[in-house]
């Protein structure tokens, strides 16, 4: 990305949520890259307030150093200016803020710090969220839905704040197919045409359920499962597949309804993968989404998988998400009262299908196999792909469930010899089937995310001779080359070897 694209941030003060988080999923992942990008390309930023879920400032500072600044992600900046200068830059520009977005004023209790933030902040970048598909409904509502409202309310209190950029997910669309447009939600809108969802009523339902569980004397484990079940039930009632995307959608609704004159940018990325180019190719943290399939194949444990190989796997490198955050903020800074949605996705302009990813993975691990615990190269076997849930259930019943029943009978007859073995394998099977159940809507997803708003912005910048091909132009990516020479090697280096 060209330095002049971050010129507007010179002498500006930013609030960023979601930059910390150990092995966090995509949206936290992109916030870390965003912070690195700002410090490297715009060291004249006035201040970066980084909200961290922590009990005090010291704990917040420790989390930021261990989970953000000490990461290999910062090695280019560290090499460019040296360790001492980097430490000085962080000390001068970065302010750790202990807080919690699920609370009023984002949980910031230090009155002096709070006053400084209210007086100084120019832009707010909100990426904090819980990203578990099966999160407890009470937790997901407080963080993803009411957390977004709390951040908005705080941004409106800030004297100079002129933009709130909210990182959501493209999959708030649910299980729609065809071309999906970049449209904001109407307040209370549902995906299945039912009566409008009342967000305040949803929180009341949660509080009533929690009260009932306490009165029944339920254990913490029973309460957790009950709240997870409630979240799934409420999401499906209104047309969403799980509590994660349901609560993220309601968070967007809050922003649209209560924004007043605050300019709102909603970034909706798809599945986020390793860096394409910046700060260096292949940086990734943790194994996420499609990566788990690639890793399972490389380890030789991917026997079968539920996916339609002809369907596009909509992925986006994390540096392109961070770049999109910067250019859209630049575009809408001062744009009073506006609300604009940007898909950051690849399926519309430059799709790659699951079959291509599998074929590249086969070639990669044939050339560079992973090693077993004994040090021997692992030779993965061909994977059976099943394109419907019915086919998957039939296959797994014959291949795994039936042998498990035989093992169960043996464990009853010979408990000492087979008891532990049955329990272990049965637990793994149930866990695998549970994960497939939650991933099914995404693995069989047939939607295509239109990204016309981002494309229009790219063309506009190109006309101004400010265009940088690596910035957020997906056409420049050769996906097979990216997986073969960037993403899978980065996955092996930065995720598997940790």
């Amino acid at each position: 990305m060209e330095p002049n694209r971050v010129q507007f941030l010179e002498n500006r003060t930013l609030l960023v949520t979601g930059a910390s988080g150990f092995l966090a999923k995509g949206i936290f992942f992109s916030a870390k890259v965003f912070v690195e990008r700002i410090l490297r390309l715009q060291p004249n930023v006035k201040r970066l307030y980084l909200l961290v879920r922590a009990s005090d400032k010291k704990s917040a500072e420790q989390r930021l150093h261990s989970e953000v600044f000490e990461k290999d992600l910062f090695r280019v900046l560290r090499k460019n200016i040296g360790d001492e200068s980097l430490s000085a830059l962080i000390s001068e520009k970065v302010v750790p803020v202990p807080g919690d977005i699920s609370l009023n004023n984002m949980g910031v209790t230090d009155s002096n710090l709070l006053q400084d933030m209210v007086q100084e902040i120019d832009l707010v970048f909100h990426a904090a969220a819980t990203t578990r598909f099966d999160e407890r409904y009470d937790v997901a509502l407080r963080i993803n839905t009411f957390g977004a409202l709390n951040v908005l309310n705080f941004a409106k209190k800030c004297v100079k704040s002129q933009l709130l950029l909210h990182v959501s997910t493209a999959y708030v669309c649910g299980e729609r197919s065809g071309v999906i447009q970049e449209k904001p939600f109407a307040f209370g809108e549902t995906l299945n045409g039912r009566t409008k969802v009342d967000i305040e009523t949803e929180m009341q339902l949660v509080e009533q359920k929690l009260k009932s569980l306490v009165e029944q004397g339920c254990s913490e484990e029973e309460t957790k499962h009950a709240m997870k079940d409630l979240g799934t039930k409420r999401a499906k009632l209104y047309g969403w597949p799980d509590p994660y995307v349901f609560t993220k959608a309601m968070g967007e609704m809050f922003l649209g309804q209560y924004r007043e004159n605050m300019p709102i940018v909603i970034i909706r990325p798809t599945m986020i993968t390793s860096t394409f180019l910046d700060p260096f190719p292949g940086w990734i943290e943790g194994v996420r989404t499609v990566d788990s399939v690639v890793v399972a194949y490389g380890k030789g444990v991917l026997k079968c998988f539920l996916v339609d190989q002809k369907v596009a796997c909509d992925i986006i490198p994390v540096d392109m998400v961070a770049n999109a955050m910067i250019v859209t903020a630049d575009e809408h800074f001062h744009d009073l009262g506006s609300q604009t949605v940007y898909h950051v996705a690849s399926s519309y302009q430059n799709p790659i299908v699951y079959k291509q990813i599998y074929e590249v993975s086969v070639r990669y691990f044939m050339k560079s196999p992973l090693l077993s615990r004994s040090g021997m190269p692992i030779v993965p076997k061909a994977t059976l792909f099943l394109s419907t849930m019915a086919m998957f259930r039939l296959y797994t019943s014959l291949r795994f469930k039936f042998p498990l029943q035989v093992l169960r009978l043996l464990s009853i007859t010979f408990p000492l010899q087979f008891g532990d073995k049955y329990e272990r394998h049965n637990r793994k099977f149930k866990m695998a089937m549970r994960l497939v159940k939650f991933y099914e809507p995404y693995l069989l997803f047939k939607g295509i995310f239109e990204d016309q708003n981002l494309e229009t912005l790219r063309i506009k910048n190109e006309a101004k001779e400010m265009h940088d091909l690596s910035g957020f132009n997906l056409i420049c990516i050769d996906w097979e080359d990216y997986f073969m020479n960037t993403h899978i090697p980065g996955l092996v280096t930065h995720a598997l070897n940790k």
Side-chain angles (χ1 to χ4, degrees):
M1 167 166 279
E2 297 174 348
N4 61 3
R5 295 306 298 147
V6 293
Q7 187 64 37
F8 79 108
L9 294 177
E10 184 174 4
N11 205 34
R12 302 289 186 187
T13 296
L14 282 58
L15 166 65
V16 182
T17 75
S20 66
F22 184 62
L23 297 186
K25 286 192 179 179
I27 53 180
F28 296 142
F29 184 39
S30 58
K32 291 184 183 183
V33 176
F34 173 77
V35 169
E36 187 275 343
R37 184 79 82 260
I38 300 303
L39 289 174
R40 181 162 49 85
L41 298 183
Q42 186 48 280
N44 292 323
V45 65
K46 185 175 181 180
R47 190 160 289 119
L48 279 175
Y49 285 104
L50 303 185
L51 188 78
V52 181
R53 193 165 187 173
S55 57
D56 53 46
K57 188 170 183 178
K58 183 178 180 181
S59 299
E61 188 173 351
Q62 289 173 343
R63 281 199 66 187
L64 282 175
H65 277 277
S66 63
E67 298 174 15
V68 181
F69 300 121
E70 292 176 5
K71 295 294 182 182
D72 194 41
L73 172 66
F74 282 78
R75 79 179 189 210
V76 172
L77 180 55
R78 188 173 288 107
K79 180 180 179 181
N80 288 348
I81 66 175
D83 287 333
E84 289 187 9
S85 294
L86 177 57
S87 296
L89 179 66
I90 293 169
S91 179
E92 177 189 356
K93 303 294 184 179
V94 175
V95 180
V97 181
D100 183 342
I101 63 166
S102 68
L103 303 175
N104 184 42
N105 281 332
M106 304 183 302
V108 181
T109 57
D110 184 327
S111 59
N112 292 328
L113 175 60
L114 193 64
Q115 185 62 26
D116 288 344
M117 294 169 68
V118 167
Q119 293 297 322
E120 295 177 12
I121 290 171
D122 297 293
L123 303 96
V124 177
F125 294 84
H126 175 44
T130 175
T131 57
R132 296 173 187 263
F133 293 149
D134 63 338
E135 182 62 271
R136 289 175 53 139
Y137 194 35
D138 54 334
V139 174
L141 259 181
R142 290 186 181 115
I143 295 176
N144 294 346
T145 304
F146 285 86
L149 180 60
N150 290 335
V151 173
L152 172 62
N153 287 337
F154 184 82
K156 290 194 295 185
K157 291 178 184 177
C158 295
V159 176
K160 300 193 297 178
S161 182
Q162 298 180 67
L163 179 80
L164 168 56
L165 185 145
H166 173 75
V167 183
S168 185
T169 170
Y171 297 99
V172 289
C173 67
E175 298 175 74
R176 290 174 179 170
S177 58
V179 177
I180 298 160
Q181 297 180 326
E182 298 163 295
K183 290 184 176 180
F185 284 105
F187 194 64
E189 179 182 346
T190 60
L191 296 184
N192 57 12
R194 284 181 175 267
T195 305
K196 288 185 176 182
V197 57
D198 186 320
I199 304 176
E200 297 289 348
T201 298
E202 292 300 306
M203 181 56 83
Q204 290 172 12
L205 284 172
V206 163
E207 291 170 349
Q208 290 168 6
K209 183 68 174 178
L210 287 171
K211 182 180 178 181
S212 173
L213 293 168
V214 170
E215 291 172 349
Q216 295 171 40
C218 293
S219 66
E220 181 60 32
E221 190 67 19
E222 290 170 331
T223 300
K224 181 178 73 173
H225 286 296
M227 295 313 298
K228 286 186 175 185
D229 290 343
L230 179 62
T232 301
K233 179 181 177 182
R234 300 303 294 179
K236 290 184 180 297
L237 177 65
Y238 294 111
W240 280 272
D242 56 62
Y244 167 54
V245 289
F246 180 39
T247 54
K248 289 293 286 183
M250 289 190 288
E252 288 191 21
M253 293 177 199
F254 265 154
L255 297 181
Q257 181 71 7
Y258 297 111
R259 71 183 188 276
E260 298 177 358
N261 288 325
M262 176 65 65
I264 301 290
V265 170
I266 295 175
I267 294 288
R268 291 179 183 165
T270 51
M271 290 183 279
I272 300 178
T273 55
S274 64
T275 51
F276 177 58
L277 281 178
D278 204 13
F280 55 87
W283 183 81
I284 189 171
E285 187 177 43
V287 176
R288 67 198 72 251
T289 56
V290 69
D291 302 336
S292 58
V293 183
V294 174
V295 169
Y297 174 78
K299 290 183 175 180
V301 296
L302 190 67
K303 310 298 181 186
C304 66
F305 195 67
L306 172 68
V307 76
D308 185 342
Q309 290 195 82
K310 300 186 295 293
V311 168
C313 175
D314 204 315
I315 55 176
I316 181 78
V318 65
D319 47 337
M320 292 195 170
V321 178
N323 290 343
M325 291 168 67
I326 292 170
V327 296
T328 56
D330 186 16
E331 177 69 13
H332 296 284
F333 189 48
H334 300 302
D335 193 4
L336 294 180
S338 66
Q339 180 184 14
T340 314
V341 174
Y342 289 91
H343 282 151
V344 188
S346 60
S347 55
Y348 190 73
Q349 293 197 58
N350 186 15
I352 178 173
V353 298
Y354 282 98
K355 184 179 181 181
Q356 289 174 274
I357 295 174
Y358 175 67
E359 289 172 347
V360 173
S361 299
V362 171
R363 293 203 305 271
Y364 179 85
F365 289 111
M366 188 179 295
K367 177 183 176 183
S368 306
L370 298 178
L371 301 180
S372 66
R373 291 181 179 178
S374 63
M376 297 297 292
I378 297 172
V379 182
K381 294 182 180 179
T383 301
L384 175 65
F385 290 97
L386 302 157
S387 59
T388 68
M389 194 64 180
M391 292 171 62
F392 185 81
R393 285 198 183 100
L394 177 60
Y395 175 80
T396 52
S397 293
L398 295 173
R399 176 69 174 79
F400 300 106
K401 198 170 183 179
F402 178 71
L404 265 176
Q405 293 306 312
V406 174
L407 188 59
R408 177 176 175 272
L409 291 174
L410 287 171
S411 71
I412 294 172
T413 308
F414 307 103
L416 293 178
Q417 293 93 327
F418 296 98
D420 289 344
K421 189 174 183 180
Y422 166 73
E423 291 295 335
R424 185 172 64 255
H425 285 285
N426 189 48
R427 186 167 56 251
K428 287 182 178 179
F429 177 75
K430 285 184 175 180
M431 175 65 74
M433 294 303 291
R434 181 171 167 274
L435 289 174
V436 167
K437 179 183 176 183
F438 279 105
Y439 277 103
E440 178 191 359
Y442 306 97
L443 296 171
L444 302 180
F445 184 79
K446 291 181 170 59
I448 301 294
F449 294 105
E450 178 190 71
D451 59 348
Q452 190 57 49
N453 286 345
L454 201 59
E455 177 65 8
T456 299
L457 193 53
R458 185 187 67 80
I459 292 171
K460 179 180 178 180
N461 289 335
E462 187 176 37
K464 293 179 180 178
E465 298 182 351
M466 297 172 68
H467 176 53
D468 173 17
L469 281 177
S470 67
F472 53 92
N473 182 10
L474 285 156
I475 299 298
C476 71
I477 301 180
D478 179 331
W479 287 117
E480 293 195 10
D481 178 73
Y482 168 74
F483 269 88
M484 191 74 179
N485 299 308
T486 300
H487 184 62
I488 301 180
L491 187 62
V492 172
T493 300
H494 298 286
L496 293 186
N497 292 335
K498 297 298 181 184

